[in-house]
Coordinates of all heavy atoms in Angstrom, one line a residue:
T3 N -92.4 34.6 -34.8 CA -93.5 35.5 -35.3 C -93.9 36.4 -34.2 O -94.1 36.0 -33.1 CB -94.7 34.6 -35.7 OG1 -94.3 33.7 -36.8 CG2 -95.8 35.4 -36.2
M4 N -94.1 37.7 -34.6 CA -94.6 38.8 -33.7 C -96.1 38.9 -33.9 O -96.5 39.4 -35.0 CB -93.9 40.1 -34.0 CG -92.4 40.0 -34.0 SD -91.8 39.5 -32.4 CE -90.1 39.1 -32.8
V5 N -96.9 38.6 -32.9 CA -98.3 38.7 -33.1 C -98.8 40.1 -33.3 O -99.6 40.5 -34.1 CB -99.0 38.0 -31.9 CG1 -100.5 38.2 -32.1 CG2 -98.7 36.5 -31.9
K6 N -98.2 41.1 -32.5 CA -98.7 42.4 -32.4 C -98.1 43.3 -33.5 O -98.6 44.4 -33.7 CB -98.3 43.1 -31.1 CG -99.1 42.5 -29.9 CD -98.9 43.3 -28.7 CE -97.6 43.0 -27.9 NZ -97.5 43.5 -26.6
S7 N -97.1 42.9 -34.3 CA -96.5 43.7 -35.4 C -96.0 45.0 -34.8 O -95.9 46.0 -35.5 CB -97.6 44.0 -36.5 OG -97.9 42.8 -37.1
D8 N -95.6 45.0 -33.6 CA -94.9 46.1 -32.9 C -93.4 46.0 -33.0 O -92.9 45.0 -32.6 CB -95.4 46.2 -31.5 CG -94.8 47.4 -30.7 OD1 -93.9 48.1 -31.3 OD2 -95.3 47.8 -29.7
P9 N -92.7 46.9 -33.6 CA -91.2 46.8 -33.8 C -90.5 46.5 -32.4 O -89.5 45.9 -32.4 CB -90.8 48.1 -34.4 CG -92.0 48.6 -35.1 CD -93.2 48.1 -34.3
R10 N -91.1 47.0 -31.3 CA -90.5 46.8 -30.0 C -90.4 45.3 -29.6 O -89.7 44.9 -28.8 CB -91.2 47.6 -29.0 CG -91.0 49.1 -29.0 CD -91.8 49.9 -28.1 NE -93.3 49.7 -28.3 CZ -94.2 50.3 -27.7 NH1 -93.9 51.2 -26.8 NH2 -95.5 50.1 -28.0
Q11 N -91.2 44.5 -30.3 CA -91.2 43.1 -30.0 C -90.0 42.4 -30.6 O -89.6 41.3 -30.1 CB -92.5 42.4 -30.5 CG -93.7 42.6 -29.7 CD -94.8 41.7 -30.1 OE1 -95.1 41.5 -31.3 NE2 -95.4 41.0 -29.1
I12 N -89.3 43.0 -31.5 CA -88.1 42.4 -32.1 C -87.0 42.3 -31.1 O -86.5 41.2 -30.8 CB -87.7 43.2 -33.4 CG1 -88.8 43.3 -34.4 CG2 -86.4 42.6 -33.9 CD1 -88.5 44.3 -35.5
P13 N -86.6 43.4 -30.5 CA -85.6 43.2 -29.4 C -86.1 42.4 -28.2 O -85.3 41.7 -27.6 CB -85.2 44.7 -29.0 CG -86.4 45.5 -29.4 CD -86.9 44.8 -30.6
Q14 N -87.4 42.5 -27.9 CA -87.9 41.8 -26.8 C -87.8 40.3 -27.1 O -87.5 39.5 -26.2 CB -89.4 42.1 -26.6 CG -90.0 41.6 -25.4 CD -91.5 42.0 -25.2 OE1 -92.3 41.9 -26.1 NE2 -91.8 42.6 -24.1
A15 N -88.1 39.8 -28.3 CA -88.0 38.4 -28.7 C -86.5 38.0 -28.6 O -86.3 36.8 -28.1 CB -88.5 38.2 -30.1
I16 N -85.6 38.8 -29.0 CA -84.2 38.4 -28.9 C -83.7 38.3 -27.5 O -83.0 37.4 -27.1 CB -83.3 39.4 -29.7 CG1 -83.6 39.3 -31.2 CG2 -81.8 39.2 -29.5 CD1 -83.0 40.3 -32.1
R17 N -84.2 39.3 -26.7 CA -83.8 39.2 -25.2 C -84.4 38.0 -24.6 O -83.8 37.3 -23.8 CB -84.3 40.5 -24.5 CG -83.5 41.7 -24.8 CD -83.8 42.8 -23.8 NE -85.1 43.3 -23.9 CZ -86.0 43.1 -22.9 NH1 -85.7 42.4 -21.8 NH2 -87.3 43.5 -23.0
L18 N -85.7 37.6 -24.9 CA -86.3 36.5 -24.3 C -85.6 35.2 -24.7 O -85.3 34.3 -23.9 CB -87.8 36.4 -24.7 CG -88.6 35.1 -24.2 CD1 -88.6 35.0 -22.7 CD2 -90.0 35.1 -24.8
S19 N -85.2 35.1 -26.0 CA -84.5 33.9 -26.5 C -83.2 33.8 -25.8 O -82.8 32.7 -25.4 CB -84.4 34.0 -28.0 OG -85.7 34.0 -28.6
R20 N -82.5 34.9 -25.8 CA -81.1 34.8 -25.1 C -81.2 34.5 -23.7 O -80.4 33.8 -23.1 CB -80.4 36.2 -25.3 CG -79.9 36.4 -26.7 CD -79.2 37.8 -26.8 NE -78.6 38.0 -28.1 CZ -77.9 39.0 -28.5 NH1 -77.7 40.0 -27.6 NH2 -77.4 39.2 -29.7
R21 N -82.2 35.1 -23.0 CA -82.4 34.8 -21.6 C -82.7 33.3 -21.4 O -82.2 32.7 -20.4 CB -83.6 35.6 -21.0 CG -83.9 35.5 -19.5 CD -83.0 36.3 -18.7 NE -83.1 37.7 -19.0 CZ -84.1 38.5 -18.5 NH1 -85.0 38.0 -17.7 NH2 -84.1 39.8 -18.9
T22 N -83.6 32.7 -22.3 CA -83.9 31.3 -22.1 C -82.7 30.4 -22.4 O -82.4 29.5 -21.6 CB -85.0 30.9 -23.2 OG1 -86.1 31.8 -23.0 CG2 -85.4 29.5 -23.0
L23 N -81.9 30.7 -23.4 CA -80.7 29.9 -23.7 C -79.7 30.1 -22.5 O -79.1 29.1 -22.1 CB -80.1 30.4 -25.0 CG -78.9 29.6 -25.5 CD1 -79.3 28.2 -25.8 CD2 -78.3 30.2 -26.7
G24 N -79.5 31.3 -22.0 CA -78.6 31.4 -20.9 C -79.1 30.7 -19.6 O -78.3 30.1 -18.9
L25 N -80.4 30.6 -19.4 CA -81.0 29.9 -18.3 C -80.8 28.4 -18.5 O -80.5 27.7 -17.5 CB -82.4 30.2 -18.1 CG -83.1 29.9 -16.8 CD1 -84.1 30.9 -16.4 CD2 -83.8 28.5 -17.0
I26 N -81.0 27.9 -19.7 CA -80.7 26.5 -20.0 C -79.3 26.1 -19.7 O -79.0 25.1 -19.0 CB -81.1 26.1 -21.4 CG1 -82.6 26.2 -21.7 CG2 -80.6 24.7 -21.8 CD1 -83.0 26.0 -23.1
K27 N -78.4 27.0 -20.1 CA -77.0 26.7 -19.9 C -76.7 26.7 -18.4 O -75.9 25.9 -17.9 CB -76.1 27.7 -20.6 CG -76.1 27.6 -22.1 CD -75.2 28.6 -22.7 CE -75.0 28.4 -24.2 NZ -74.1 29.4 -24.8
G28 N -77.3 27.7 -17.7 CA -77.1 27.7 -16.2 C -77.6 26.5 -15.5 O -77.0 25.9 -14.6
N29 N -78.8 26.0 -16.0 CA -79.3 24.8 -15.4 C -78.4 23.6 -15.6 O -78.2 22.8 -14.7 CB -80.7 24.5 -16.1 CG -81.8 25.4 -15.5 OD1 -81.6 26.0 -14.5 ND2 -82.9 25.3 -16.2
L30 N -77.9 23.5 -16.9 CA -77.0 22.3 -17.2 C -75.7 22.4 -16.4 O -75.2 21.4 -15.9 CB -76.8 22.3 -18.7 CG -78.0 21.9 -19.6 CD1 -77.7 22.1 -21.0 CD2 -78.4 20.5 -19.3
F31 N -75.2 23.7 -16.3 CA -74.0 23.8 -15.5 C -74.2 23.4 -14.1 O -73.3 22.7 -13.5 CB -73.5 25.3 -15.6 CG -72.4 25.6 -14.6 CD1 -71.1 25.3 -15.0 CD2 -72.6 26.2 -13.4 CE1 -70.0 25.5 -14.1 CE2 -71.6 26.4 -12.5 CZ -70.3 26.1 -12.9
W32 N -75.3 23.8 -13.5 CA -75.6 23.5 -12.1 C -75.6 22.0 -12.0 O -75.1 21.4 -11.1 CB -76.9 24.1 -11.7 CG -77.5 23.5 -10.4 CD1 -78.4 22.6 -10.3 CD2 -77.0 23.8 -9.1 NE1 -78.6 22.2 -9.0 CE2 -77.8 23.0 -8.2 CE3 -76.1 24.7 -8.5 CZ2 -77.6 23.1 -6.8 CZ3 -76.0 24.7 -7.2 CH2 -76.7 23.9 -6.3
A33 N -76.3 21.3 -12.9 CA -76.5 19.8 -12.8 C -75.1 19.1 -12.9 O -74.8 18.3 -12.1 CB -77.4 19.3 -13.9
F34 N -74.3 19.5 -13.9 CA -73.0 18.9 -14.1 C -72.1 19.3 -12.9 O -71.4 18.4 -12.4 CB -72.4 19.3 -15.4 CG -72.9 18.6 -16.6 CD1 -73.5 19.3 -17.7 CD2 -72.9 17.2 -16.7 CE1 -74.0 18.6 -18.8 CE2 -73.4 16.5 -17.8 CZ -74.0 17.2 -18.8
A35 N -72.0 20.5 -12.6 CA -71.1 20.9 -11.5 C -71.5 20.3 -10.2 O -70.6 19.8 -9.4 CB -71.2 22.5 -11.3
Y36 N -72.8 20.1 -9.9 CA -73.2 19.5 -8.7 C -72.7 18.0 -8.7 O -72.2 17.6 -7.7 CB -74.7 19.6 -8.7 CG -75.4 18.6 -7.7 CD1 -75.5 18.9 -6.4 CD2 -75.9 17.4 -8.2 CE1 -76.1 18.0 -5.5 CE2 -76.6 16.5 -7.3 CZ -76.6 16.8 -6.0 OH -77.2 16.0 -5.1
N37 N -73.0 17.3 -9.8 CA -72.5 15.9 -9.8 C -71.0 15.8 -9.7 O -70.5 14.9 -9.0 CB -73.1 15.2 -11.1 CG -74.6 15.0 -11.1 OD1 -75.3 15.4 -12.0 ND2 -75.1 14.4 -10.0
T38 N -70.3 16.6 -10.5 CA -68.9 16.5 -10.5 C -68.3 16.8 -9.2 O -67.3 16.1 -8.8 CB -68.3 17.5 -11.6 OG1 -68.9 17.3 -12.8 CG2 -66.8 17.4 -11.7
A39 N -68.8 17.7 -8.5 CA -68.2 18.1 -7.1 C -68.7 17.1 -6.1 O -67.9 16.8 -5.2 CB -68.7 19.5 -6.7
A40 N -69.9 16.5 -6.2 CA -70.4 15.7 -5.1 C -69.9 14.3 -5.2 O -69.8 13.6 -4.1 CB -71.9 15.7 -5.2
I41 N -69.7 13.7 -6.3 CA -69.3 12.3 -6.4 C -68.0 12.0 -5.7 O -67.9 11.1 -4.9 CB -69.2 11.9 -7.9 CG1 -70.6 11.8 -8.5 CG2 -68.5 10.5 -8.0 CD1 -70.6 11.5 -10.0
P42 N -66.9 12.8 -5.9 CA -65.7 12.6 -5.1 C -65.9 12.7 -3.6 O -65.4 11.8 -2.8 CB -64.7 13.6 -5.6 CG -65.2 14.0 -6.9 CD -66.7 13.9 -6.8
I43 N -66.7 13.6 -3.1 CA -67.0 13.8 -1.7 C -67.7 12.5 -1.2 O -67.3 12.0 -0.1 CB -67.9 15.0 -1.4 CG1 -67.1 16.3 -1.9 CG2 -68.3 15.1 0.0 CD1 -67.9 17.5 -1.8
A44 N -68.7 12.0 -2.0 CA -69.4 10.8 -1.6 C -68.4 9.6 -1.6 O -68.5 8.7 -0.7 CB -70.5 10.6 -2.5
A45 N -67.6 9.5 -2.6 CA -66.7 8.3 -2.7 C -65.7 8.3 -1.5 O -65.3 7.2 -1.1 CB -65.9 8.4 -4.0
F46 N -65.3 9.4 -1.0 CA -64.4 9.4 0.2 C -65.1 9.2 1.5 O -64.5 9.4 2.6 CB -63.6 10.7 0.2 CG -62.5 10.7 -0.8 CD1 -62.5 11.5 -1.9 CD2 -61.3 10.0 -0.5 CE1 -61.5 11.5 -2.8 CE2 -60.3 10.0 -1.4 CZ -60.3 10.8 -2.6
G47 N -66.4 9.0 1.4 CA -67.2 8.7 2.7 C -67.5 9.9 3.5 O -67.7 9.8 4.7
L48 N -67.5 11.1 2.9 CA -67.7 12.3 3.6 C -69.1 12.8 3.6 O -69.4 13.9 4.0 CB -66.7 13.4 3.1 CG -65.2 13.1 3.2 CD1 -64.4 14.2 2.5 CD2 -64.8 12.8 4.6

């Protein structure tokens, strides 16, 4: 819902939503990549 009824909020809402989804994916990638890379290093005693 656009509170201001300004058409410029339409692309703004889509950009915000896309930015949020991209950031969530980036967060999850960081978490998974970090664990995936770090576990073998830890297992080898390094």
Side-chain angles (χ1 to χ4, degrees):
T3 298
M4 308 295 165
V5 175
K6 289 190 279 191
S7 294
D8 184 345
R10 287 174 297 188
Q11 283 193 311
I12 301 168
Q14 190 178 52
I16 293 174
R17 286 195 298 110
L18 175 61
S19 298
R20 286 183 174 181
R21 181 85 58 84
T22 304
L23 186 62
L25 194 142
I26 289 173
K27 289 182 175 180
N29 284 348
L30 292 172
F31 171 80
W32 166 261
F34 280 123
Y36 162 82
N37 290 127
T38 303
I41 289 176
I43 297 174
F46 281 105
L48 302 176

